[in-house]
Amino acid sequence: MGLSENFNKSKSYVAMVFLQFGYAGMFIIIMVSLKRGMNHYVLVVYRNIIAAAAVAPFAFFFERKVRPKMTKSIFLKIMALGLLEPVLDQNFYYVGSKCTSASFSAAMFNILPAVTFVLAIIFRMEKIKIKNVRSQAKIIGTTVTIAGAMVMAMYKGPALDLFHTGGQPHHDSSSGGDSPQETNYLEGTLLLLVSSVCWSAFFVLQSHTLKTYPVELSLTAWICFMGAVEGGVVALVMEHEASAWTIHWDARIVAAIYSGVVCSGITYYVQGMVLKERGPVFVTAFNPLCLVIVAILSSFILKEEITLGRVIGAIIIIIGLYAIIWGKSKDHIVSPLLEDDTKGDLALPVVAVTESAKPSSSINYVNGGGGRVTDTPVTITSS
């Protein structure tokens, strides 16, 4: 019993840690495929087609009896979700990564919890009490996280050969395009920031959509399908060469399959389950782990250098993020009935069963403050 309880308490943490390993692999594979000529508009389309094809059968069989009716409101939300993450976020991220590096791209996404936290406050999904210590930790953590991202973007510093892999300097023009020019670095940083905002908005809207359409597999399949359709329209407008749609059996096909199945299909589903329990800020709070994994892998695989500025910025971001996590750690425990500071009356049921109505029970609620019995009984039918 104790083992089961511990698993239930930690399953959200375990799920998010595994997702970070999945994201780390994507950062590396995507970077390799882009450097080998993969068109990022086309990659978005193939990624979401594969994701939709992988998830749709499971959604059809496992959720066919519990799937709510599709309404116009839900469909519009799904269209917005398909635009925010599969189209805008992914395209901005791919271009930003091409202008910077895999490790820098992963590091910039560490501002996700801060951006998500701000959006959650704006849309009243997150409550802040200035005098509460945990609320103060969330605010301070958000500020520190943004400051760390600014340090990473504005200060590079000397190269650090932390893993002794012979990283290539980013300013070396003879490296065959492995490192971006300084003129493109700021552009890449801005694109990654825009991508982060789109991704954060996706988390917030996904959390809201799950309240009226609480079927994670079906929602995942719809998001990927709409992302493929909307991304296809964008690709046809932006890319006119038929050769760009050609897929070779190399890192490019691996990138489409891996990112589609792992980072869209599985990730959207797992995120949906955790979002329903913990909220969007919790889901985005584990990105520092991804940064560490990507930094090590990119140093070995892509021969990217790690600079002092990025290390300092990453440390600042991690400090801020775990302040946010600490502030969020007990949010899901608090019952909505107990969030009211006023000592409101709680209704206690008094059950009266009559012989003439055995199949059902009449429940009269007594007001705890005034001792009055409500006039209208609530009937519960026996199964």
Side-chain angles (χ1 to χ4, degrees):
M1 184 66 178
L3 183 62
S4 177
E5 290 180 354
N6 289 333
F7 174 76
N8 288 332
K9 290 179 180 179
S10 61
K11 63 182 181 181
S12 297
Y13 294 89
V14 174
M16 295 315 302
V17 168
F18 274 107
L19 285 189
Q20 298 314 309
F21 279 92
Y23 277 131
M26 181 197 71
F27 283 119
I28 302 299
I29 295 172
I30 291 296
M31 181 60 67
V32 174
S33 68
L34 291 175
K35 289 182 177 180
R36 293 191 177 183
M38 184 72 176
N39 183 282
H40 62 88
Y41 295 113
V42 175
L43 177 57
V44 167
V45 178
Y46 286 152
R47 168 178 173 171
N48 287 283
I49 289 175
I50 292 171
V55 176
F58 294 97
F60 177 78
F61 286 108
F62 290 109
E63 295 179 344
R64 64 183 184 276
K65 295 182 179 180
V66 297
R67 188 183 301 112
K69 181 181 178 181
M70 178 64 68
T71 64
K72 182 180 179 180
S73 174
I74 294 174
F75 186 72
L76 290 175
K77 291 175 184 177
I78 291 174
M79 287 185 64
L81 287 168
L83 181 65
L84 280 172
E85 208 285 321
V87 179
L88 296 179
D89 168 45
Q90 290 177 21
N91 276 304
F92 282 130
Y93 160 72
Y94 293 151
V95 179
S97 297
K98 205 171 182 180
C99 293
T100 55
S101 66
S103 57
F104 184 85
S105 302
M108 285 304 297
F109 274 116
N110 283 329
I111 69 169
L112 270 175
V115 178
T116 307
F117 178 62
V118 172
L119 291 178
I121 293 176
I122 293 173
F123 291 101
R124 298 183 179 181
M125 300 178 68
E126 192 77 26
K127 294 184 177 180
I128 293 294
K129 297 179 181 178
I130 300 301
K131 295 183 179 180
N132 184 277
V133 176
R134 292 187 180 274
S135 293
Q136 293 172 0
K138 296 176 191 177
I139 297 172
I140 294 173
T142 300
T143 306
V144 171
T145 299
I146 295 174
M150 293 179 65
V151 170
M152 290 192 69
M154 297 180 180
Y155 173 66
K156 291 185 67 175
L160 303 176
D161 191 12
L162 296 178
F163 305 106
H164 306 289
T165 57
Q168 299 294 326
H170 287 291
H171 59 271
D172 184 4
S173 60
S174 64
S175 59
D178 286 350
S179 301
Q181 297 178 354
E182 293 296 332
T183 53
N184 294 330
Y185 215 84
L186 180 59
E187 177 186 350
T189 301
L190 294 175
L191 290 172
L192 290 172
L193 287 173
V194 175
S195 175
S196 298
V197 174
C198 292
W199 202 1
S200 296
F202 172 83
F203 283 122
V204 172
L205 183 56
Q206 185 186 18
S207 179
H208 180 73
T209 305
L210 282 167
K211 295 178 181 178
T212 52
Y213 197 69
V215 278
E216 295 88 352
L217 285 171
S218 298
L219 182 60
T220 298
W222 272 111
I223 292 172
C224 295
F225 173 75
M226 291 308 302
V229 173
E230 295 168 351
V233 173
V234 173
L236 290 174
V237 172
M238 301 299 295
E239 183 56 57
H240 303 288
E241 295 184 7
S243 59
W245 295 85
T246 304
I247 290 290
H248 300 280
W249 291 95
D250 53 15
R252 285 169 280 189
I253 188 65
V254 174
I257 295 174
Y258 180 90
S259 60
V261 175
V262 176
C263 299
S264 287
I266 295 176
T267 296
Y268 290 166
Y269 171 67
V270 174
Q271 282 176 179
M273 292 192 300
V274 179
L275 276 169
K276 288 171 68 175
E277 181 181 352
R278 297 298 186 103
V281 177
F282 179 88
V283 170
T284 58
F286 288 80
N287 284 67
L289 177 60
C290 183
L291 167 62
V292 175
I293 300 169
V294 172
I296 296 174
L297 292 179
S298 63
S299 182
F300 280 103
I301 299 174
L302 302 178
K303 304 299 182 182
E304 292 180 353
E305 70 174 5
I306 300 176
T307 64
L308 178 62
R310 293 178 192 174
V311 172
I312 295 175
I315 292 173
I316 295 173
I317 288 173
I318 290 172
I319 293 172
L321 286 175
Y322 283 100
I324 298 174
I325 291 177
W326 182 82
K328 287 285 299 178
S329 60
K330 293 188 177 181
D331 281 5
H332 70 290
I333 299 176
V334 180
S335 170
L337 290 174
L338 301 179
E339 288 183 353
D340 190 358
D341 288 334
T342 61
K343 296 181 179 180
D345 300 325
L346 296 178
L348 300 177
V350 177
V351 181
V353 182
T354 63
E355 290 294 330
S356 60
K358 287 184 179 180
S360 63
S361 298
S362 178
I363 303 178
N364 292 329
Y365 284 89
V366 179
N367 187 297
R372 293 181 290 104
V373 180
T374 58
D375 294 331
T376 305
V378 178
T379 302
I380 301 177
T381 303
S382 303
S383 57

